[in-house]
mmCIF file of all heavy atoms in Angstrom:
data_model
loop_
_atom_site.group_PDB
_atom_site.id
_atom_site.type_symbol
_atom_site.label_atom_id
_atom_site.label_comp_id
_atom_site.label_asym_id
_atom_site.label_seq_id
_atom_site.Cartn_x
_atom_site.Cartn_y
_atom_site.Cartn_z
ATOM 1 N N VAL A 1 -6.705 -11.738 -14.545
ATOM 2 C CA VAL A 1 -5.331 -11.994 -14.106
ATOM 3 C C VAL A 1 -4.402 -10.928 -14.681
ATOM 4 O O VAL A 1 -3.578 -10.340 -13.971
ATOM 5 C CB VAL A 1 -4.865 -13.413 -14.522
ATOM 6 C CG1 VAL A 1 -3.373 -13.578 -14.341
ATOM 7 C CG2 VAL A 1 -5.625 -14.464 -13.734
ATOM 8 N N ASP A 2 -4.546 -10.640 -15.974
ATOM 9 C CA ASP A 2 -3.710 -9.634 -16.614
ATOM 10 C C ASP A 2 -4.026 -8.234 -16.096
ATOM 11 O O ASP A 2 -3.111 -7.434 -15.853
ATOM 12 C CB ASP A 2 -3.876 -9.697 -18.134
ATOM 13 C CG ASP A 2 -2.805 -8.921 -18.856
ATOM 14 O OD1 ASP A 2 -1.653 -9.406 -18.872
ATOM 15 O OD2 ASP A 2 -3.112 -7.831 -19.377
ATOM 16 N N LEU A 3 -5.296 -7.936 -15.889
ATOM 17 C CA LEU A 3 -5.689 -6.626 -15.364
ATOM 18 C C LEU A 3 -5.139 -6.428 -13.956
ATOM 19 O O LEU A 3 -4.649 -5.345 -13.622
ATOM 20 C CB LEU A 3 -7.209 -6.483 -15.379
ATOM 21 C CG LEU A 3 -7.787 -5.175 -14.839
ATOM 22 C CD1 LEU A 3 -7.245 -3.983 -15.612
ATOM 23 C CD2 LEU A 3 -9.306 -5.205 -14.890
ATOM 24 N N ARG A 4 -5.183 -7.464 -13.122
ATOM 25 C CA ARG A 4 -4.621 -7.372 -11.766
ATOM 26 C C ARG A 4 -3.137 -7.023 -11.823
ATOM 27 O O ARG A 4 -2.651 -6.194 -11.054
ATOM 28 C CB ARG A 4 -4.794 -8.697 -11.026
ATOM 29 C CG ARG A 4 -6.046 -8.806 -10.260
ATOM 30 C CD ARG A 4 -6.036 -10.007 -9.308
ATOM 31 N NE ARG A 4 -7.353 -10.194 -8.771
ATOM 32 C CZ ARG A 4 -8.254 -11.038 -9.259
ATOM 33 N NH1 ARG A 4 -7.979 -11.792 -10.280
ATOM 34 N NH2 ARG A 4 -9.452 -11.121 -8.703
ATOM 35 N N LYS A 5 -2.411 -7.666 -12.732
ATOM 36 C CA LYS A 5 -0.980 -7.373 -12.879
ATOM 37 C C LYS A 5 -0.769 -5.914 -13.282
ATOM 38 O O LYS A 5 0.112 -5.245 -12.746
ATOM 39 C CB LYS A 5 -0.351 -8.296 -13.924
ATOM 40 C CG LYS A 5 -0.222 -9.725 -13.475
ATOM 41 C CD LYS A 5 0.347 -10.589 -14.585
ATOM 42 C CE LYS A 5 0.337 -12.049 -14.221
ATOM 43 N NZ LYS A 5 0.769 -12.911 -15.339
ATOM 44 N N SER A 6 -1.569 -5.426 -14.209
ATOM 45 C CA SER A 6 -1.449 -4.038 -14.654
ATOM 46 C C SER A 6 -1.771 -3.062 -13.522
ATOM 47 O O SER A 6 -1.076 -2.064 -13.340
ATOM 48 C CB SER A 6 -2.392 -3.759 -15.826
ATOM 49 O OG SER A 6 -2.012 -4.480 -16.952
ATOM 50 N N VAL A 7 -2.821 -3.351 -12.776
ATOM 51 C CA VAL A 7 -3.214 -2.490 -11.663
ATOM 52 C C VAL A 7 -2.136 -2.490 -10.587
ATOM 53 O O VAL A 7 -1.730 -1.436 -10.093
ATOM 54 C CB VAL A 7 -4.581 -2.932 -11.089
ATOM 55 C CG1 VAL A 7 -4.855 -2.293 -9.742
ATOM 56 C CG2 VAL A 7 -5.694 -2.605 -12.075
ATOM 57 N N ASP A 8 -1.632 -3.661 -10.231
ATOM 58 C CA ASP A 8 -0.600 -3.757 -9.190
ATOM 59 C C ASP A 8 0.690 -3.054 -9.609
ATOM 60 O O ASP A 8 1.366 -2.446 -8.782
ATOM 61 C CB ASP A 8 -0.308 -5.218 -8.846
ATOM 62 C CG ASP A 8 -1.469 -5.887 -8.119
ATOM 63 O OD1 ASP A 8 -2.352 -5.165 -7.603
ATOM 64 O OD2 ASP A 8 -1.486 -7.131 -8.070
ATOM 65 N N LYS A 9 1.024 -3.127 -10.885
ATOM 66 C CA LYS A 9 2.263 -2.534 -11.383
ATOM 67 C C LYS A 9 2.152 -1.021 -11.548
ATOM 68 O O LYS A 9 3.100 -0.295 -11.263
ATOM 69 C CB LYS A 9 2.631 -3.178 -12.725
ATOM 70 C CG LYS A 9 3.933 -2.690 -13.332
ATOM 71 C CD LYS A 9 4.258 -3.429 -14.596
ATOM 72 C CE LYS A 9 3.413 -2.833 -15.721
ATOM 73 N NZ LYS A 9 3.751 -3.326 -17.045
ATOM 74 N N SER A 10 1.008 -0.543 -11.983
ATOM 75 C CA SER A 10 0.872 0.850 -12.405
ATOM 76 C C SER A 10 0.271 1.782 -11.365
ATOM 77 O O SER A 10 0.527 2.988 -11.400
ATOM 78 C CB SER A 10 0.012 0.933 -13.667
ATOM 79 O OG SER A 10 0.529 0.125 -14.683
ATOM 80 N N LEU A 11 -0.548 1.273 -10.451
ATOM 81 C CA LEU A 11 -1.306 2.135 -9.542
ATOM 82 C C LEU A 11 -0.780 2.069 -8.124
ATOM 83 O O LEU A 11 -0.309 1.025 -7.682
ATOM 84 C CB LEU A 11 -2.787 1.730 -9.536
ATOM 85 C CG LEU A 11 -3.653 2.218 -10.684
ATOM 86 C CD1 LEU A 11 -3.221 1.653 -12.007
ATOM 87 C CD2 LEU A 11 -5.090 1.889 -10.433
ATOM 88 N N ALA A 12 -0.902 3.206 -7.440
ATOM 89 C CA ALA A 12 -0.572 3.257 -6.018
ATOM 90 C C ALA A 12 -1.743 2.694 -5.215
ATOM 91 O O ALA A 12 -2.860 2.565 -5.727
ATOM 92 C CB ALA A 12 -0.291 4.700 -5.597
ATOM 93 N N VAL A 13 -1.507 2.392 -3.964
ATOM 94 C CA VAL A 13 -2.518 1.782 -3.107
ATOM 95 C C VAL A 13 -3.743 2.685 -2.945
ATOM 96 O O VAL A 13 -4.872 2.201 -2.875
ATOM 97 C CB VAL A 13 -1.915 1.440 -1.723
ATOM 98 C CG1 VAL A 13 -2.971 0.932 -0.763
ATOM 99 C CG2 VAL A 13 -0.798 0.432 -1.874
ATOM 100 N N ASP A 14 -3.541 3.997 -2.920
ATOM 101 C CA ASP A 14 -4.670 4.902 -2.694
ATOM 102 C C ASP A 14 -5.287 5.450 -3.984
ATOM 103 O O ASP A 14 -6.139 6.337 -3.933
ATOM 104 C CB ASP A 14 -4.253 6.056 -1.782
ATOM 105 C CG ASP A 14 -3.145 6.908 -2.373
ATOM 106 O OD1 ASP A 14 -2.501 6.465 -3.345
ATOM 107 O OD2 ASP A 14 -2.919 8.015 -1.871
ATOM 108 N N ASP A 15 -4.921 4.912 -5.135
ATOM 109 C CA ASP A 15 -5.537 5.309 -6.401
ATOM 110 C C ASP A 15 -6.897 4.639 -6.557
ATOM 111 O O ASP A 15 -7.092 3.509 -6.123
ATOM 112 C CB ASP A 15 -4.657 4.914 -7.595
ATOM 113 C CG ASP A 15 -3.390 5.735 -7.686
ATOM 114 O OD1 ASP A 15 -3.323 6.805 -7.047
ATOM 115 O OD2 ASP A 15 -2.465 5.315 -8.394
ATOM 116 N N THR A 16 -7.829 5.350 -7.183
ATOM 117 C CA THR A 16 -9.145 4.778 -7.441
ATOM 118 C C THR A 16 -9.248 4.344 -8.899
ATOM 119 O O THR A 16 -8.586 4.899 -9.774
ATOM 120 C CB THR A 16 -10.277 5.785 -7.153
ATOM 121 O OG1 THR A 16 -10.126 6.915 -8.001
ATOM 122 C CG2 THR A 16 -10.280 6.202 -5.699
ATOM 123 N N VAL A 17 -10.079 3.333 -9.128
ATOM 124 C CA VAL A 17 -10.352 2.850 -10.475
ATOM 125 C C VAL A 17 -11.862 2.895 -10.683
ATOM 126 O O VAL A 17 -12.618 2.350 -9.877
ATOM 127 C CB VAL A 17 -9.838 1.407 -10.689
ATOM 128 C CG1 VAL A 17 -10.150 0.931 -12.099
ATOM 129 C CG2 VAL A 17 -8.345 1.316 -10.413
ATOM 130 N N THR A 18 -12.281 3.552 -11.759
ATOM 131 C CA THR A 18 -13.698 3.667 -12.073
ATOM 132 C C THR A 18 -14.069 2.641 -13.137
ATOM 133 O O THR A 18 -13.413 2.549 -14.168
ATOM 134 C CB THR A 18 -14.031 5.085 -12.579
ATOM 135 O OG1 THR A 18 -13.684 6.018 -11.567
ATOM 136 C CG2 THR A 18 -15.515 5.213 -12.908
ATOM 137 N N PHE A 19 -15.111 1.868 -12.837
ATOM 138 C CA PHE A 19 -15.646 0.889 -13.768
ATOM 139 C C PHE A 19 -17.140 1.116 -13.866
ATOM 140 O O PHE A 19 -17.844 1.080 -12.852
ATOM 141 C CB PHE A 19 -15.350 -0.539 -13.293
ATOM 142 C CG PHE A 19 -15.981 -1.618 -14.126
ATOM 143 C CD1 PHE A 19 -15.582 -1.822 -15.429
ATOM 144 C CD2 PHE A 19 -16.978 -2.425 -13.607
ATOM 145 C CE1 PHE A 19 -16.172 -2.804 -16.203
ATOM 146 C CE2 PHE A 19 -17.563 -3.417 -14.361
ATOM 147 C CZ PHE A 19 -17.151 -3.605 -15.675
ATOM 148 N N ARG A 20 -17.614 1.415 -15.062
ATOM 149 C CA ARG A 20 -19.031 1.676 -15.329
ATOM 150 C C ARG A 20 -19.628 2.729 -14.394
ATOM 151 O O ARG A 20 -20.705 2.566 -13.831
ATOM 152 C CB ARG A 20 -19.831 0.380 -15.278
ATOM 153 C CG ARG A 20 -19.433 -0.560 -16.399
ATOM 154 C CD ARG A 20 -20.363 -1.725 -16.512
ATOM 155 N NE ARG A 20 -20.015 -2.528 -17.685
ATOM 156 C CZ ARG A 20 -20.527 -3.704 -17.937
ATOM 157 N NH1 ARG A 20 -21.418 -4.232 -17.120
ATOM 158 N NH2 ARG A 20 -20.175 -4.368 -19.023
ATOM 159 N N GLY A 21 -18.882 3.809 -14.211
ATOM 160 C CA GLY A 21 -19.377 4.948 -13.453
ATOM 161 C C GLY A 21 -19.238 4.863 -11.953
ATOM 162 O O GLY A 21 -19.629 5.779 -11.239
ATOM 163 N N VAL A 22 -18.663 3.780 -11.437
ATOM 164 C CA VAL A 22 -18.488 3.616 -9.992
ATOM 165 C C VAL A 22 -16.992 3.575 -9.690
ATOM 166 O O VAL A 22 -16.257 2.782 -10.274
ATOM 167 C CB VAL A 22 -19.163 2.323 -9.488
ATOM 168 C CG1 VAL A 22 -18.941 2.147 -7.995
ATOM 169 C CG2 VAL A 22 -20.636 2.321 -9.828
ATOM 170 N N ALA A 23 -16.552 4.446 -8.770
ATOM 171 C CA ALA A 23 -15.137 4.491 -8.383
ATOM 172 C C ALA A 23 -14.882 3.487 -7.263
ATOM 173 O O ALA A 23 -15.619 3.430 -6.282
ATOM 174 C CB ALA A 23 -14.760 5.886 -7.937
ATOM 175 N N PHE A 24 -13.818 2.718 -7.421
ATOM 176 C CA PHE A 24 -13.445 1.702 -6.432
ATOM 177 C C PHE A 24 -12.054 2.001 -5.889
ATOM 178 O O PHE A 24 -11.112 2.181 -6.657
ATOM 179 C CB PHE A 24 -13.425 0.304 -7.068
ATOM 180 C CG PHE A 24 -14.766 -0.176 -7.523
ATOM 181 C CD1 PHE A 24 -15.210 0.080 -8.810
ATOM 182 C CD2 PHE A 24 -15.593 -0.880 -6.661
ATOM 183 C CE1 PHE A 24 -16.445 -0.361 -9.242
ATOM 184 C CE2 PHE A 24 -16.841 -1.327 -7.083
ATOM 185 C CZ PHE A 24 -17.262 -1.067 -8.374
ATOM 186 N N LEU A 25 -11.939 2.052 -4.573
ATOM 187 C CA LEU A 25 -10.636 2.151 -3.932
ATOM 188 C C LEU A 25 -10.161 0.750 -3.560
ATOM 189 O O LEU A 25 -8.978 0.442 -3.633
ATOM 190 C CB LEU A 25 -10.721 3.036 -2.686
ATOM 191 C CG LEU A 25 -9.417 3.307 -1.947
ATOM 192 C CD1 LEU A 25 -8.396 3.981 -2.869
ATOM 193 C CD2 LEU A 25 -9.659 4.169 -0.731
ATOM 194 N N ASP A 26 -11.109 -0.113 -3.207
ATOM 195 C CA ASP A 26 -10.814 -1.494 -2.829
ATOM 196 C C ASP A 26 -10.733 -2.357 -4.089
ATOM 197 O O ASP A 26 -11.704 -2.479 -4.831
ATOM 198 C CB ASP A 26 -11.914 -2.005 -1.899
ATOM 199 C CG ASP A 26 -11.632 -3.392 -1.367
ATOM 200 O OD1 ASP A 26 -11.348 -4.295 -2.183
ATOM 201 O OD2 ASP A 26 -11.717 -3.587 -0.150
ATOM 202 N N ARG A 27 -9.587 -2.947 -4.325
ATOM 203 C CA ARG A 27 -9.379 -3.756 -5.539
ATOM 204 C C ARG A 27 -10.266 -4.993 -5.565
ATOM 205 O O ARG A 27 -10.755 -5.397 -6.613
ATOM 206 C CB ARG A 27 -7.905 -4.185 -5.663
ATOM 207 C CG ARG A 27 -6.898 -3.066 -5.647
ATOM 208 C CD ARG A 27 -7.025 -2.165 -6.857
ATOM 209 N NE ARG A 27 -5.881 -1.290 -6.960
ATOM 210 C CZ ARG A 27 -5.882 -0.011 -6.644
ATOM 211 N NH1 ARG A 27 -6.968 0.546 -6.188
ATOM 212 N NH2 ARG A 27 -4.805 0.734 -6.774
ATOM 213 N N ALA A 28 -10.493 -5.611 -4.412
ATOM 214 C CA ALA A 28 -11.346 -6.807 -4.361
ATOM 215 C C ALA A 28 -12.771 -6.474 -4.798
ATOM 216 O O ALA A 28 -13.399 -7.250 -5.527
ATOM 217 C CB ALA A 28 -11.335 -7.411 -2.957
ATOM 218 N N GLU A 29 -13.270 -5.316 -4.379
ATOM 219 C CA GLU A 29 -14.610 -4.901 -4.797
ATOM 220 C C GLU A 29 -14.653 -4.649 -6.301
ATOM 221 O O GLU A 29 -15.621 -5.011 -6.966
ATOM 222 C CB GLU A 29 -15.038 -3.641 -4.053
ATOM 223 C CG GLU A 29 -15.367 -3.872 -2.606
ATOM 224 C CD GLU A 29 -15.796 -2.585 -1.910
ATOM 225 O OE1 GLU A 29 -16.222 -1.638 -2.598
ATOM 226 O OE2 GLU A 29 -15.708 -2.542 -0.673
ATOM 227 N N LEU A 30 -13.606 -4.029 -6.822
ATOM 228 C CA LEU A 30 -13.534 -3.767 -8.264
ATOM 229 C C LEU A 30 -13.586 -5.060 -9.054
ATOM 230 O O LEU A 30 -14.407 -5.213 -9.961
ATOM 231 C CB LEU A 30 -12.248 -3.004 -8.603
ATOM 232 C CG LEU A 30 -11.899 -2.891 -10.089
ATOM 233 C CD1 LEU A 30 -12.913 -2.031 -10.826
ATOM 234 C CD2 LEU A 30 -10.491 -2.354 -10.271
ATOM 235 N N PHE A 31 -12.740 -6.009 -8.706
ATOM 236 C CA PHE A 31 -12.694 -7.259 -9.465
ATOM 237 C C PHE A 31 -13.955 -8.091 -9.269
ATOM 238 O O PHE A 31 -14.396 -8.778 -10.175
ATOM 239 C CB PHE A 31 -11.427 -8.048 -9.122
ATOM 240 C CG PHE A 31 -10.185 -7.357 -9.604
ATOM 241 C CD1 PHE A 31 -9.227 -6.911 -8.720
ATOM 242 C CD2 PHE A 31 -9.978 -7.121 -10.947
ATOM 243 C CE1 PHE A 31 -8.097 -6.253 -9.160
ATOM 244 C CE2 PHE A 31 -8.848 -6.467 -11.404
ATOM 245 C CZ PHE A 31 -7.906 -6.029 -10.508
ATOM 246 N N GLY A 32 -14.575 -8.005 -8.087
ATOM 247 C CA GLY A 32 -15.847 -8.685 -7.869
ATOM 248 C C GLY A 32 -16.940 -8.101 -8.742
ATOM 249 O O GLY A 32 -17.751 -8.836 -9.322
#
């Protein structure tokens, strides 16, 4: 919940987030 707030506040829609070596553009895939 807190991470979602940080991502929504800080990142643009087309920014990618890398988790454990995999880059995610889709936030739902990242959180899943």
Side-chain angles (χ1 to χ4, degrees):
V1 168
D2 194 73
L3 179 58
R4 270 192 190 96
K5 289 177 187 175
S6 294
V7 166
D8 291 343
K9 182 177 79 172
S10 305
L11 280 64
V13 174
D14 62 345
D15 290 343
T16 61
V17 179
T18 301
F19 174 67
R20 294 190 174 170
V22 178
F24 295 90
L25 184 59
D26 185 308
R27 304 294 192 256
E29 288 180 22
L30 169 67
F31 292 117

